[in-house]
């Protein structure tokens, strides 16, 4: 696997160019900025049939090889005629001189005061430029109709050649994550295969002596490792190839071996646990010895501690996201930090996640000076407006709050207490990859 990553600026160099950076109280925006400047896209692409390419990152601009539609055609079932007549006779009487079907056009000529019965998608016959829909005509006899629509204008109901996609223009840009609409669009251009970025390979493991994997007995004081499952789900949804490395005990040698193995085999690494202030210094020493790593304390909740950087082993390198251990903190840090960085590494050009404004159903406690990500349920109120409520206890270990939620309430850094009916920003889970 090609795991090349260009040597860009160091984390230290990037951080020093951002105003007021304090690694012990880094704002969410500052951390996101540093990541954006640090992460370089992977190289390597593959050619896939368009069905296989669903959800993948387009590696080339797609220039339209044809006009879609290829010719002017009718948007309606009705009658095609020359619209000049409308300026003097908006309710003209027209003689029917033939029929144009989708796939078999009318080849004769059409003069003023004549029309052709036409179906949706049929080519507009020579001499015609306007279509009147069937329902806006009245039939006078077998060969005559009268226009009954007073507002019809010349050119109406005509789809223009190239109006969907014009020959030679960019139909889809490199970096686009292909959607169902894009597959259809490619098919409409006659394109059967496209080049996409190769899948991003992401290794992950959990650290903590108290963690047990599924199938093991739960000794006193132990918990089942859930982070590897949420990470599996989030990474898979993002279109990554995942490499689950299990639970790694909190021992320097075991951690070093795991980090090296991950680095040599993946483009990015996600760990959970072991980055809090109270955690053993050996993690920090080890990560520093393997590459360019920053340990941050973020002004956010949940998910305050985080390590980020790039490590090297045996000539390979990989970005590393050292997420906190608490299950909700893992998901929040993934969605608000790792996700965007991984997309960038995949070569995807995406817009920031869309936040919507919704009224709070009740007051929400919030301290200014940190960004809070509270789990919420947004639903229609009796009055037809949407309102959002928090999902009960917001402890960063309460994964149920995430499972019950259908959105995250994003309370900005400066925001203080939220009053009932005040608008708050929410990020809907629906559609979040
Ligand atoms: P840490 O960040 O390692 O101090 O962990 C914080 C809390 O999260 C502790 O209560 C851990 O037991 C818990 N935790 C850490 N990793 C996991 C995991 N993989 N699955 C479930 N809980 C975890
Ligand atoms: Mg731990």
């Amino acid at each position: 696997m090609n795991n090349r990553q260009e040597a860009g600026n160091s984390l230290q160099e990037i951080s020093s160019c951002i105003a007021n950076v304090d690694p012990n109280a880094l704002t969410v925006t500052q951390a996101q900025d540093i990541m954006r400047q640090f992460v370089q896209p992977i190289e390597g692409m593959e050619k896939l049939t368009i069905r296989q390419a669903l959800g993948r990152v387009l590696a080339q601009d797609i220039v339209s090889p044809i006009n879609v539609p290829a010719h002017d055609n009718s948007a309606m079932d009705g009658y095609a005629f020359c619209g000049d007549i409308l300026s003097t006779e908006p309710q003209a009487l027209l003689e029917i001189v033939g029929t144009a079907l989708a796939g078999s056009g009318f080849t004769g000529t059409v003069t003023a005061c004549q029309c052709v019965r036409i179906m949706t998608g049929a080519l507009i016959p020579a001499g015609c430029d306007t279509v009147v829909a069937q329902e806006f005509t009245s039939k006078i006899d077998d060969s005559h109709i009268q226009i009954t629509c007073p507002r019809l204008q010349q050119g109406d109901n005509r789809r223009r050649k190239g109006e969907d996609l014009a020959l030679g223009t960019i139909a889809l840009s490199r970096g686009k994550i292909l959607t169902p609409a894009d597959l259809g669009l490619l098919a409409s251009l006659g394109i059967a295969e496209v080049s996409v970025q190769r899948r991003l390979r992401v290794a992950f493991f959990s650290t903590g002596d108290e963690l047990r994997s599924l199938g093991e007995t739960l000794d006193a004081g132990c918990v089942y490792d859930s982070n590897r499952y949420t990470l599996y789900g989030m990474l898979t949804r993002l279109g990554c190839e995942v490499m689950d490395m299990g639970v790694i005990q909190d021992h320097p040698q075991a951690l070093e071996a795991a980090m090296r193995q991950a680095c040599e085999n993946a483009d990015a690494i996600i760990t959970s646990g072991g980055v809090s202030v109270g955690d053993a210094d050996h993690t920090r020493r080890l990560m520093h010895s393997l590459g360019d790593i920053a340990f941050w304390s973020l002004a956010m909740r949940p998910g305050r501690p985080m390590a980020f950087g790039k490590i090297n082993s045996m000539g390979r390198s990989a970005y590393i996201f050292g997420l906190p251990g608490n299950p909700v903190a893992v998901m929040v840090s993934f969605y608000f930090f790792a996700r965007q960085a991984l997309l960038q590494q995949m070569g995807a050009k995406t817009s920031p996640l869309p936040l919507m404004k919704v009224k709070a159903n009740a007051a929400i406690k919030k301290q200014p000076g940190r960004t809070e990500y509270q789990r919420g349920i947004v639903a229609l109120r009796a009055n037809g407006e949407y309102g959002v409520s928090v999902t009960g206890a917001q402890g960063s270990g309460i994964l149920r709050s995430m499972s019950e939620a259908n959105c995250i309430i994003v309370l900005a850094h400066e925001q203080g207490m939220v009053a009932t009916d005040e608008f708050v920003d929410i990020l809907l889970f629906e559609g979040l990859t």
Side-chain angles (χ1 to χ4, degrees):
M1 178 181 311
N2 176 357
N3 197 26
R4 184 201 72 108
Q5 272 133 17
E6 283 288 324
N9 286 337
S10 72
L11 280 174
Q12 189 55 49
E13 285 162 341
I14 292 170
S15 308
S16 63
C17 295
I18 295 178
N20 305 322
V21 164
D22 171 2
N24 294 315
L26 203 62
T27 66
V28 166
T29 326
Q30 288 173 330
Q32 288 168 335
D33 267 2
I34 296 172
M35 286 186 170
R36 188 167 39 247
Q37 292 184 46
F38 192 65
V39 172
Q40 304 287 331
I42 51 167
E43 284 197 335
M45 50 182 96
E46 57 184 320
K47 230 185 169 97
L48 296 180
T49 64
I50 57 175
R51 281 188 183 150
Q52 293 171 320
L54 180 65
R56 300 290 296 271
V57 178
L58 195 60
Q60 55 174 154
D61 285 342
I62 301 290
V63 176
S64 184
I66 54 172
N67 279 306
V68 179
H71 305 278
D72 289 4
N73 69 78
S74 177
M76 291 283 180
D77 289 349
Y79 297 88
F81 63 102
C82 175
D84 288 348
I85 199 166
L86 292 171
S87 56
T88 50
E89 280 185 78
Q91 310 222 331
L93 184 77
L94 302 170
E95 181 197 1
I96 309 167
V97 294
T99 303
L101 302 174
S104 84
F106 175 77
T107 46
T109 46
V110 183
T111 58
C113 301
Q114 292 186 329
C115 69
V116 168
R117 172 100 181 95
I118 195 163
M119 298 301 154
T120 305
L123 264 53
I124 304 272
C128 300
D129 59 8
T130 307
V131 173
V132 58
Q134 166 106 26
E135 52 273 35
F136 293 116
T137 61
S138 61
K139 198 154 185 179
I140 302 303
D141 58 40
D142 277 354
S143 57
H144 292 86
I145 53 122
Q146 182 164 17
I147 297 170
T148 59
C149 169
R151 283 180 302 281
L152 193 68
Q153 296 202 347
Q154 187 160 32
D156 277 1
N157 302 318
R158 173 182 51 167
R159 297 176 184 154
R160 301 306 301 261
K161 167 181 168 178
E163 73 172 18
D164 185 355
L165 299 162
L167 170 73
T169 57
I170 294 182
L172 292 173
S173 299
R174 180 179 176 185
K176 178 130 195 338
I177 298 180
L178 296 170
T179 62
D182 297 332
L183 303 195
L185 192 145
L186 288 163
S188 77
L189 293 173
I191 294 172
E193 285 190 333
V194 285
S195 288
V196 297
Q197 299 278 89
R198 71 168 173 82
R199 276 191 198 279
L200 193 72
R201 192 137 201 247
V202 184
F204 57 90
F205 58 83
S206 300
T207 68
D209 292 339
E210 78 283 21
L211 301 179
R212 292 293 175 269
S213 292
L214 298 187
E216 292 177 357
T217 34
L218 204 57
D219 304 315
C222 292
V223 292
Y224 282 122
D225 174 5
S226 57
N227 290 343
R228 269 160 53 226
Y229 292 85
T230 45
L231 282 171
Y232 164 84
M234 293 186 293
L235 288 166
T236 303
R237 283 265 178 96
L238 206 57
C240 302
E241 193 182 311
V242 297
M243 184 176 149
D244 182 345
M245 296 178 61
V247 173
I248 308 295
Q249 299 300 301
D250 271 333
H251 299 305
Q253 289 87 350
L255 275 174
E256 174 163 2
M259 280 189 197
R260 286 188 179 279
Q261 193 196 339
C263 178
E264 288 158 28
N265 291 286
D267 305 300
I269 307 162
I270 299 186
T271 67
S272 71
V275 291
S276 314
V277 178
D279 286 306
D281 285 343
H282 62 73
T283 314
R284 287 166 191 252
R285 256 202 314 276
L286 170 64
M287 284 171 96
H288 281 308
S289 77
L290 291 177
D292 186 11
I293 307 283
F295 282 81
W296 291 327
S297 182
L298 297 162
M300 69 183 273
R301 185 181 170 136
R304 206 156 62 85
M306 182 159 61
F308 168 71
K310 189 158 81 166
I311 61 170
N312 309 291
S313 183
M314 303 289 284
R316 302 285 195 142
S317 66
Y319 293 104
I320 184 160
F321 303 85
L323 307 185
N326 272 310
V328 181
V330 166
M331 295 195 76
V332 166
S333 326
F334 182 90
Y335 283 137
F336 291 92
F337 295 96
R339 179 182 177 278
Q340 186 53 44
L342 295 174
L343 284 170
Q344 193 177 323
Q345 204 186 355
M346 287 177 196
K349 307 245 177 353
T350 53
S351 326
L353 288 169
L355 299 180
M356 289 166 45
K357 292 220 181 286
V358 171
K359 283 181 178 173
N361 289 331
I364 305 175
K365 273 199 192 142
K366 163 71 170 66
Q367 254 183 42
R370 68 184 185 205
T371 308
E372 287 191 18
Y373 300 96
Q374 304 212 10
R375 278 71 69 204
I377 297 176
V378 62
L380 269 181
R381 295 170 169 182
N383 67 0
E385 284 179 345
Y386 278 100
V388 69
S389 303
V390 294
T391 57
Q394 296 289 307
S396 63
I398 302 178
L399 197 50
R400 186 164 52 89
S401 69
M402 209 57 199
S403 173
E404 285 176 359
N406 63 6
C407 67
I408 288 199
I409 305 168
V410 181
L411 301 174
H413 191 84
E414 321 73 40
Q415 165 95 49
M417 291 289 293
V418 176
T420 305
D421 275 346
E422 197 177 323
F423 278 105
V424 288
D425 284 328
I426 62 162
L427 172 71
L428 278 177
F429 285 163
E430 192 62 45
L432 185 66
T433 48

